Structures are given as structure tokens and as C-alpha cells.
């Protein structure tokens, strides 16, 4: 796999049983790249290992006065220099390729899991942890994959050098062969402690990243309540904890590095002393001593790869564990069995709550608990937990087909859920509305139904083009340049454009005023007429336009009917919709006021207001 071939057509199905297993799986998936890097690494290290032989031959040729041997040594040095340059260049090229392709594979896996889980991801895993995994952790995982082949090449080269020295000069080669494993393994007792400190550092860094992410996301709210300094102090403390943990981790790695400098130094001193004694006694030649000494000195370079692979594994193992936590999340534990090409139609039914949304009708759901409503909305989209601790949670049925058993593409085509706080990605308005759709609803119709006229005017004024086309105006990240109501209506228009078989809206008009709310509710009802629509709301203006209203309490449907029927017959419904207490209800003494929309205005007045809004818009 080359960098130019990215992205992968299929990044594979990772082994998410543990962090080390994931790293092993990642290495196996890049076996070809690992073998290339290993081959070039062996060429590089073996060429370096050949330098002492050439230098020793040159020294001995000078002592013996042999011009031919000296020329041979010179040619050998030139050849070895070329091989070292080629090997080092290609080793670096293949190793970096392994790093980038491994990181790209992990990022693709994370992106695929994020797309599969949708908004449910941040409910299961903190947003800061997702950010940390997709940035810093991906690089550390790639580092281990890249360092693995270089370590294997270095280890193989060390074995070959030791064997060669034993065969070349047993009196000194045995000493080097015995000392090399000691040098390589001397730091092993320190690695567990270094790993723990590295884990603690990464954990604290992840918490600090999560805190920073949450602070930035809620900056507008923090400014409103004057909480910037409070969260800034929290981040300062968190960053200081990260610094202290990083210093403690660095001290341990500095000790490991010091040991790997000290022990080879002791070996070289011992080798020189013992070799000089043998040369003085005439038992070995000076050239042989130079050869063995040079080989032992150059062995320090591949020995460094032992320290690097230990560091890479220590840092990548917790990163891989965090990646596994995200990648192990599943949309469903059930295996898709339905036909991928089938587009289910029919009623949308949740067996957990008993909610029934008949096909082709506009169903409104009233729930006093916003969290309960959010969980039900996720479940209707097939993104909820499949096990609540007491056993498997039954899947939502759409046309009698379990959503969890549908392939992801079919499920997304069948049911679309718009969250209470939808996200607008940066880009132009045209790009925002360029989403997979049935083609039955145009962008203009969706914008009109969501009452985005004032939003289009604002974007037209902000347009840098001479024609002032709002569709080409760029929207900033998360739509921060727009008000809450404007963002909500643009998100609603995006959902309407997709035109799914069933559309689930969680509080689609919570950020707009009552006048705009009435117009938006009427636009949704008109554009989605004949299509299955479910809206979680408590606004009387929207509830009165629904074909069917369902009251959810305690996780169960307790009543169903039209808005006015429930106002008249269900005290609990009145309490949620009109915000009235039972005492206020009894004091009213009449059902006339209760039949009013929201207890604020008689139903005929609300209808008149909506009709007047429509007329004003048409004249405009």
C-alpha cells in the first residue's frame, strides 16, 4: 500500500478485544509494508556492520604495507557507503509509509464507526476522548507500527553481527555476544514503571483535552453566566497535572536512556582493555582489534531501536486501548439479515414504550422528561444501546422489520433523526443542503417550509460574491455566526431535503419565537403530508397541527389522541403542555380555557394567527 493509494477501499474489521491485539492486527494488515521496511533495514544495518571489516582491513593493509589490500578496502568502503545511503533512504521511506498508512487506517476505522453510531457516539464516549483518539492517539499507534519493522531489522542485524564476530575472532567475539543481550534487556525491569507513568500522562492529557473541548463547545453559555474564569482555572489545574505527569514520565525515560549509554560504555572500555592486552601479547592483530572495536561501537546504533520500540509500545498501548473503546461500540449486536435493497414502509413502532407512529401521519410525542425523549428519539433511529443492563432491548420496528437488522444504508434511508441540538458543518449553504436524498424535495421547498427567509437574507448580505447568492455564502463551523433559531431552521431544512420514509424531529422549534414557530410547524405539516413524521415537542402550536399526539410518561405511552382531546381528557397532558398545576386547573372551573392551545390562546385564534402568517408571507 502506497500513500498515493489512500484512502483504503476497505480498512478491514479490527480486532478490538484489547489494545495489544488491535496493534497486532494492525501490523498484520500491513505485512507487505513491514516486510519491505524490514528488508531495507537489514540492508542498512548489515552495510553499517560491514564498515568495521573494511576499516580493519585498511588498517592492517597500512601496517603490512600492502597497496592492493588498501585499494580493496577503499573499494569496499565506497560500496558499503552506497549501500548505507540507499538502505537508509528506502528504510526511512518505507517506515514513514507504514506510519502514515497505519494512521490513515485507524482514522478510517474511527470515521466509519462515527458515521455508523451518529449522535449516539458522544453519549457513549466523551467528546474529548474521541478528539484525543482521532488526533494524538492515531499518531502514536502509527509510530509503533513504523518502529516495529525497524526494530526487527535492528535485532536481526545484532544477531548477525554477534555471530560474525564470534566466527571472525572468538576471543573477543564471545565477549560481545554475551554482553549484547545484557545491554538490550537491561532496561526491561524499568519498563513497567515507565509504562505506568506514560499511561497516567496520557490519561491526564485525555482529561485535559476533554475539558478543553467541552469548554470551547459551551463558551457562549459560559460567557452568559460569567463562568469563563472558573473553567479556565480548571483547565490550568488539569494542564499542570499533565505537565507533572509528563515530567515524571520523562525522568524514567531519561534513566533508561542513561543506562543504555552507560552499559555500552562499560562494554567498550572492557573490550579495549582486553583487546589491547591480547594485541600486546601478539595473540591478535591490531587490525582485528580495530574491527571488533568498531563493530561493537556501531552496534550501539541498532541497540537504540530497542529503547525506541519500548517507548513506542508504552505510548501506543494506552492509545490503542482508547481506540478500541471507540471501535468496539456497535450500532447493534444483531447481524443484518434484511435485504439491503429493500426500502421498508409502514408503521414505526417502539416495543419498549409502545409508541406507534402510523404510516403517512404526523405524530407528535409529548414527554415531560427531555432525557427520556432523547433516548426514545435515538432508539427510533436505531442508534440506542442494545442492552440496558437487564437484557437485550427490543429493536424498533419499521413496517414490521427490526431497524437493527437492516443494513446501515437502508436504515438511514428509512428513518432520519434530527437531534435537539443539530450540528452544521462548515461550508456553503449549497454544500450543507447537498445531502443524500430521495430527490422528491428541493432545497428551495425545504428552506421555505423551515421559514429560512431571514436566514437567506442574512447570508446574502454576508456573501462576498457580487450577485449576493446566499447558497454560495460560507457558513462558519457549527454555524457560530448564526443565531440559535437560524441554525435550528437550517438544520431542519437539511432534514427535510433528505425526504426519508420516516422523519424524527426532537424539539424542532425550541429556539424560535411563537410567531415563527407557528409558520415552521405549518411548513413541516404541509411538506411532510402523506409521509411518516414524528416530532418530540410540547409546543401547543405544533401539537395542534399533528394528526396524532402521544403522551409518554415513565417510559410508557399512557394516552393518545388529538391535541384537543388530550387537553380535555388528560390532566397529566395538560400539566405538561400548559405548565399548569392541578390546583390551577381546578381553579379554572371550566374546560373552555383548557381547550385553548397551550392554555394561552383559544384554538381558533391560533389557527387565525397561522393563516395570517401564511398570507403575509405569500404577499411578501
Amino acid at each position: 500500500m502506497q500513500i498515493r493509494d489512500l484512502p483504503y477501499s476497505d480498512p478491514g474489521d479490527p480486532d478490538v478485544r484489547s489494545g495489544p491485539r488491535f496493534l497486532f492486527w494492525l501490523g498484520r494488515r500491513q505485512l507487505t509494508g513491514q516486510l519491505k521496511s524490514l528488508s531495507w533495514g537489514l540492508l542498512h544495518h548489515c552495510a553499517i556492520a560491514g564498515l568495521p571489516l573494511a576499516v580493519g582491513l585498511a588498517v592492517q593493509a597500512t601496517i603490512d604495507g600492502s597497496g592492493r589490500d588498501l585499494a580493496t578496502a577503499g573499494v569496499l568502503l565506497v560500496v558499503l557507503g552506497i549501500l548505507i545511503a540507499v538502505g537508509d533512504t528506502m528504510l526511512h521511506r518505507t517506515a514513514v509509509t507504514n506510519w502514515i498508512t497505519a494512521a490513515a487506517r485507524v482514522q478510517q476505522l474511527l470515521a466509519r464507526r462515527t458515521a455508523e453510531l451518529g449522535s449516539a457516539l458522544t453519549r457513549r464516549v466523551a467528546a474529548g476522548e474521541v478528539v484525543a483518539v482521532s488526533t494524538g492517539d492515531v499518531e502514536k499507534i502509527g509510530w509503533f507500527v513504523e518502529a516495529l519493522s525497524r526494530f526487527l531489522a535492528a535485532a536481526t542485524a545484532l544477531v548477525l553481527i554477534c555471530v560474525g564476530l564470534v566466527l571472525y575472532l572468538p576471543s573477543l567475539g564471545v565477549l560481545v555476544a554475551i554482553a549484547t543481550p545484557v545491554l538490550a534487556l537491561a532496561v526491561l525491569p524499568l519498563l513497567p514503571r515507565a509504562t505506568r507513568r506514560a499511561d497516567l500522562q496520557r490519561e491526564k492529557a485525555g482529561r485535559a483535552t476533554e475539558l478543553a473541548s467541552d469548554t470551547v463547545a459551551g463558551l457562549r453559555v459560559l460567557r452568559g453566566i460569567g463562568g469563563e474564569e472558573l473553567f479556565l482555572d480548571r483547565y490550568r489545574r488539569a494542564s499542570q497535572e499533565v505537565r507533572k505527569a509528563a515530567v515524571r514520565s520523562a525522568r524514567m525515560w531519561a534513566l533508561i536512556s542513561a543506562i543504555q549509554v552507560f552499559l555500552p560504555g562499560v562494554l567498550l572500555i572492557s573490550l579495549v582493555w582486553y583487546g589491547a592486552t591480547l594485541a600486546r601479547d601478539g595473540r591478535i592483530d591490531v587490525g582485528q582489534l580495530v574491527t571488533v572495536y568498531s563493530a561493537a561501537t556501531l552496534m550501539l546504533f541498532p541497540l537504540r531501536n530497542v529503547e525506541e520500540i519500548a517507548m513506542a509500545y508504552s505510548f501506543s498501548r494506552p492509545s490503542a486501548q482508547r481506540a478500541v473503546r471507540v471501535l468496539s461500540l456497535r450500532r447493534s449486536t444483531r447481524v443484518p439479515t434484511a435485504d439491503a435493497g429493500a426500502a421498508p414502509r409502514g408503521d414505526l413502532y417502539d416495543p419498549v414504550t409502545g409508541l406507534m407512529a402510523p404510516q403517512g401521519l404526523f405524530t407528535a410525542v409529548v414527554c415531560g422528561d427531555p432525557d427520556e425523549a432523547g433516548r426514545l428519539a435515538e432508539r427510533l433511529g436505531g442508534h440506542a444501546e442494545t442492552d440496558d443492563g437487564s437484557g437485550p432491548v427490543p429493536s424498533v420496528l419499521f413496517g414490521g422489520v427490526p431497524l437493527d437488522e437492516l443494513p446501515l444504508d437502508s436504515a438511514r434511508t428509512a428513518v432520519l433523526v434530527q437531534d435537539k441540538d443539530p450540528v452544521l458543518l462548515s461550508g456553503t449553504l449549497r454544500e450543507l443542503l447537498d445531502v443524500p436524498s430521495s430527490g422528491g424535495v428541493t432545497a428551495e421547498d425545504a428552506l421555505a417550509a423551515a421559514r429560512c427567509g431571514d436566514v437567506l437574507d442574512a447570508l446574502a448580505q454576508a456573501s462576498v460574491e457580487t450577485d449576493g447568492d446566499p447558497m454560495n455564502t460560507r457558513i462558519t463551523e457549527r454555524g457560530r455566526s448564526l443565531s440559535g433559531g437560524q441554525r435550528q431552521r437550517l438544520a431542519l431544512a437539511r432534514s427535510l431535503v433528505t425526504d426519508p420514509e420516516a422523519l424524527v424531529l426532537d424539539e424542532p422549534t425550541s429556539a424560535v419565537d411563537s410567531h415563527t414557530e407557528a409558520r415552521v410547524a405549518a411548513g413541516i405539516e404541509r411538506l411532510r403530508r402523506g409521509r411518516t413524521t414524528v416530532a418530540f415537542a410540547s409546543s401547543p402550536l405544533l401539537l395542534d397541527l399533528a394528526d396524532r399526539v402521544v403522551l409518554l410518561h415513565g417510559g410508557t405511552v399512557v394516552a393518545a389522541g388529538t391535541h384537543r382531546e388530550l387537553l380535555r381528557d388528560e390532566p397529566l397532558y395538560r400539566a405538561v403542555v400548559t405548565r399548569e398545576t392541578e390546583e390551577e386547573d381546578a381553579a379554572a372551573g371550566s374546560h373552555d380555557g383548557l381547550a385553548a392551545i397551550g392554555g394561552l390562546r383559544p384554538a381558533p385564534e391560533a389557527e387565525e394567527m397561522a393563516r395570517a402568517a401564511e398570507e403575509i408571507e405569500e404577499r411578501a
Side-chain angles (χ1 to χ4, degrees):
M1 183 68 179
Q2 299 296 323
I3 296 177
R4 62 175 176 268
D5 299 324
L6 294 175
Y8 291 97
S9 57
D10 179 15
D13 187 16
D15 186 344
V16 294
R17 288 176 289 178
S18 66
R21 287 179 180 272
F22 176 68
L23 291 175
F24 179 69
W25 173 86
L26 200 59
R28 284 194 298 110
R29 293 290 294 185
Q30 299 191 218
L31 186 59
T32 302
Q34 294 288 347
L35 291 177
K36 288 181 180 179
S37 184
L38 175 61
S39 301
W40 290 115
L42 284 174
L43 175 64
H44 175 63
H45 288 297
C46 290
I48 292 178
L51 288 176
L53 181 62
V55 172
L57 180 61
V59 171
Q60 193 63 42
T62 302
I63 295 175
D64 297 340
S66 174
R68 189 177 67 176
D69 290 346
L70 185 61
T72 302
V75 172
L76 183 59
L77 283 173
V78 171
V79 172
L80 290 175
I82 295 174
L83 293 178
I84 291 173
V86 173
D88 191 24
T89 301
M90 297 306 298
L91 173 62
H92 178 75
R93 177 186 178 90
T94 53
V96 171
T97 299
N98 288 336
W99 185 339
I100 294 177
T101 52
R105 186 186 297 275
V106 177
Q107 285 181 326
Q108 279 190 249
L109 291 170
L110 291 170
R112 185 174 68 181
R113 185 65 68 238
T114 301
E116 178 182 336
L117 294 172
S119 62
L121 175 63
T122 53
R123 294 183 183 269
R124 303 186 194 182
V125 182
E129 183 170 353
V130 177
V131 173
V133 170
S134 59
T135 53
D137 287 337
V138 166
E139 292 187 3
K140 288 179 173 57
I141 293 172
W143 176 28
F144 174 76
V145 174
E146 175 260 343
L148 181 59
S149 57
R150 290 194 290 110
F151 163 73
L152 294 176
T156 305
L158 285 173
V159 173
L160 294 176
I161 292 173
C162 290
V163 172
L165 289 178
V166 170
L167 296 177
Y168 176 73
L169 192 63
S171 56
L172 293 181
V174 172
L175 175 62
V176 175
I178 294 175
T180 299
V182 176
L183 297 180
L185 303 177
V187 297
L188 285 183
L190 298 177
L191 288 181
R193 182 178 298 180
T195 301
R196 288 194 297 271
R197 292 189 179 186
D199 290 350
L200 180 61
Q201 176 194 351
R202 293 299 305 162
E203 180 182 350
K204 291 183 178 296
R207 292 177 182 174
T209 302
E210 180 180 343
L211 179 60
S213 177
D214 293 343
T215 301
V216 172
L219 190 58
R220 179 174 296 182
V221 177
L222 290 177
R223 287 175 175 172
I225 62 176
E228 304 102 308
E229 287 299 325
L230 174 63
F231 274 78
L232 183 59
D233 289 340
R234 290 182 181 178
Y235 183 74
R236 285 196 186 105
R237 291 194 296 270
S239 62
Q240 287 302 313
E241 291 180 2
V242 174
R243 180 188 62 81
K244 293 177 181 177
V247 169
R248 293 184 72 246
S249 179
R251 286 173 179 168
M252 183 56 63
W253 289 111
L255 177 60
I256 292 175
S257 298
I259 291 175
Q260 290 201 326
V261 172
F262 175 74
L263 292 182
V266 173
L267 171 63
L268 292 178
I269 292 174
S270 302
L271 189 64
V272 170
W273 176 80
Y274 182 58
T277 301
L278 295 178
R280 184 189 60 189
D281 296 340
R283 298 167 60 183
I284 64 173
D285 295 332
V286 174
Q288 291 177 319
L289 174 60
V290 172
T291 299
V292 175
Y293 175 79
S294 301
T297 303
L298 293 176
M299 283 174 63
L300 300 183
F301 176 70
L303 278 173
R304 282 291 180 182
N305 287 273
V306 178
E307 177 189 358
E308 183 188 14
I309 195 64
M311 290 184 64
Y313 180 74
S314 298
F315 281 97
S316 65
R317 187 180 61 82
S319 296
Q321 195 61 46
R322 276 188 293 271
V324 162
R325 277 202 296 269
V326 177
L327 296 176
S328 61
L329 298 176
R330 289 289 185 268
R331 168 176 168 256
S332 171
T333 58
R334 304 173 180 89
V335 178
T337 57
D339 182 8
R345 291 173 175 269
D347 300 336
L348 188 64
Y349 174 68
D350 176 34
V352 177
T353 60
L355 172 65
M356 170 67 77
Q359 180 183 7
L361 296 185
F362 183 7
T363 302
V365 180
V366 176
C367 182
D369 184 356
D371 293 334
E372 184 179 350
R375 289 191 295 270
L376 176 55
E378 285 188 5
R379 196 159 57 249
L380 291 176
H383 301 303
E385 296 284 356
T386 57
D387 195 319
D388 60 0
S390 59
V393 178
S395 172
V396 169
L397 303 178
F398 188 36
V401 179
L403 273 183
D404 287 350
E405 296 184 7
L406 284 174
L408 182 60
D409 293 342
S410 299
R412 290 283 172 83
T413 302
V415 183
L416 174 68
V417 178
Q418 176 177 303
D419 296 332
K420 183 182 300 183
D421 186 21
V423 175
L424 300 183
L425 301 178
S426 59
T428 64
L429 179 57
R430 192 183 309 280
E431 293 170 342
L432 176 69
L433 299 178
D434 184 17
V435 293
S437 63
S438 67
V441 177
T442 64
E444 292 74 15
D445 292 339
L447 291 168
R451 305 307 182 213
C452 295
D454 61 319
V455 186
L456 296 177
D457 292 340
L459 292 176
Q461 293 178 1
S463 176
V464 296
E465 298 184 2
T466 55
D467 59 355
D469 186 1
M471 299 298 292
N472 296 326
T473 303
R474 191 167 188 81
I475 299 174
T476 57
E477 181 185 5
R478 291 179 175 266
R480 298 189 189 280
S481 59
L482 305 173
S483 67
Q486 290 174 330
R487 288 198 302 271
Q488 190 176 58
R489 281 177 285 159
L490 284 181
L492 175 61
R494 179 180 59 189
S495 299
L496 293 174
V497 164
T498 61
D499 191 32
E501 291 293 332
L503 177 62
V504 180
L505 305 172
D506 191 359
E507 295 287 354
T509 58
S510 59
V512 299
D513 58 77
S514 58
H515 175 69
T516 305
E517 183 178 35
R519 299 165 61 200
V520 172
I524 295 174
E525 189 276 334
R526 184 178 65 253
L527 191 64
R528 292 288 300 174
R529 190 169 296 156
R531 305 284 270 173
T532 305
T533 307
V534 179
F536 290 83
S538 58
S539 166
L541 296 173
L542 190 148
L543 296 173
D544 193 51
L545 292 174
D547 299 312
R548 187 169 180 267
V549 180
V550 175
L551 175 62
L552 193 69
H553 181 68
T556 307
V557 173
V558 296
T562 65
H563 171 58
R564 301 185 191 186
E565 290 173 351
L566 294 178
L567 277 177
R568 183 183 65 245
D569 301 332
E570 290 293 335
L572 181 59
Y573 182 82
R574 289 196 297 271
V576 174
V577 174
T578 67
R579 312 297 197 272
E580 290 181 351
T581 63
E582 294 182 1
E583 291 77 6
E584 292 171 336
D585 186 11
S590 172
H591 289 297
D592 295 339
L594 298 177
I597 297 179
L600 301 175
R601 184 182 296 108
E605 294 181 16
E607 293 176 351
E608 183 63 27
M609 184 185 74
R611 285 196 295 270
E614 292 287 341
E615 293 177 1
I616 292 173
E617 183 181 12
E618 290 176 359
R619 292 174 183 175

